[in-house]
Amino acid sequence: MEQNKQIKVKLVRSVIGTREDHRATVRGLGLRRLNDERVLEDTPAVRGMIRKVDYLVRVVG
């Protein structure tokens, strides 16, 4: 049976002063404000989004 893996992401730096597409990526991850956390499905698309804004977010757990 296939298990849906999940990944927990936390916004640790402000998006103020960052590129517009990076802000859109953070919003696409479902993160709104500082210290916001979301549990997301661990897919290649989500991994790519996290990698794009790795200086703003941290993978928790």
Side-chain angles (χ1 to χ4, degrees):
M1 183 149 89
E2 192 175 312
Q3 211 175 1
N4 285 346
K5 293 190 178 185
Q6 295 187 322
I7 191 166
K8 192 172 188 182
V9 183
K10 181 176 185 177
L11 185 62
V12 294
R13 288 192 58 191
S14 173
V15 295
I16 295 173
T18 59
R19 290 173 40 176
E20 186 62 44
D21 61 322
H22 288 197
R23 276 181 261 167
T25 302
V26 168
R27 289 291 286 122
L29 288 169
L31 302 169
R32 292 173 177 260
R33 56 178 57 105
L34 213 52
N35 294 319
D36 219 357
E37 291 182 349
R38 287 288 177 270
V39 177
L40 306 164
E41 253 188 85
D42 191 3
T43 63
V46 170
R47 289 260 178 181
M49 291 171 79
I50 292 169
R51 196 171 299 119
K52 182 175 180 179
V53 292
D54 61 351
Y55 66 101
L56 297 173
V57 300
R58 179 163 293 134
V59 176
V60 183

